[in-house]
Amino acid sequence: MGSKRKFNIEYKKEIIKLVRERGNKVSEVAKDIGVSETTIRNWVKKYSEYGEEAFPGRGKLRTEDAEIREMKKKLKDLEEENAILKKAMGIFSRDMK
């Protein structure tokens, strides 16, 4: 099993230009650079969907992914807070009896 090659954002964008703007065949480009056709098709699809945010890079997230992560964190915090409040209500309601 070979190691996974990493391609920088500019390189991916150039490959996408070859396919979309210059009309080169995906199979030819894939053969020339030594990657699968599926990889190039995935790059083109992601770029079509997300534009400049298609390849965020290491440690960075697309804007919508960052928002989703933040919302999940807030939801988890609120669920924990809710559980604490429920326990507190149980304790206080026993003491009042």
Side-chain angles (χ1 to χ4, degrees):
M1 183 182 256
S3 63
K4 190 173 181 179
R5 294 179 12 195
K6 303 271 183 186
F7 298 98
N8 66 32
I9 296 166
E10 292 78 25
Y11 187 78
K12 290 178 182 180
K13 287 179 183 178
E14 286 299 317
I15 298 304
I16 292 166
K17 277 185 187 178
L18 286 174
V19 173
R20 291 176 78 191
E21 294 174 12
R22 296 188 185 153
N24 293 22
K25 291 184 180 180
V26 172
S27 59
E28 292 172 1
V29 175
K31 188 176 180 181
D32 289 344
I33 65 171
V35 299
S36 70
E37 292 178 33
T38 304
T39 298
I40 294 176
R41 285 191 183 96
N42 286 338
W43 292 349
V44 171
K45 181 181 176 185
K46 282 183 182 179
Y47 194 77
S48 296
E49 266 184 65
Y50 301 108
E52 291 299 315
E53 290 189 334
F55 313 109
R58 299 180 107 193
K60 298 178 185 175
L61 295 174
R62 288 190 297 266
T63 304
E64 69 182 33
D65 291 338
E67 289 173 358
I68 290 170
R69 178 182 276 180
E70 183 64 27
M71 291 170 81
K72 284 182 179 181
K73 183 182 182 309
K74 284 181 182 180
L75 177 62
K76 183 180 175 189
D77 291 345
L78 289 171
E79 286 173 341
E80 288 176 6
E81 189 176 310
N82 194 24
I84 291 168
L85 290 171
K86 283 181 180 179
K87 288 179 184 177
M89 286 297 297
I91 292 169
F92 290 127
S93 65
R94 277 187 289 180
D95 290 344
M96 298 192 114
K97 290 183 180 179

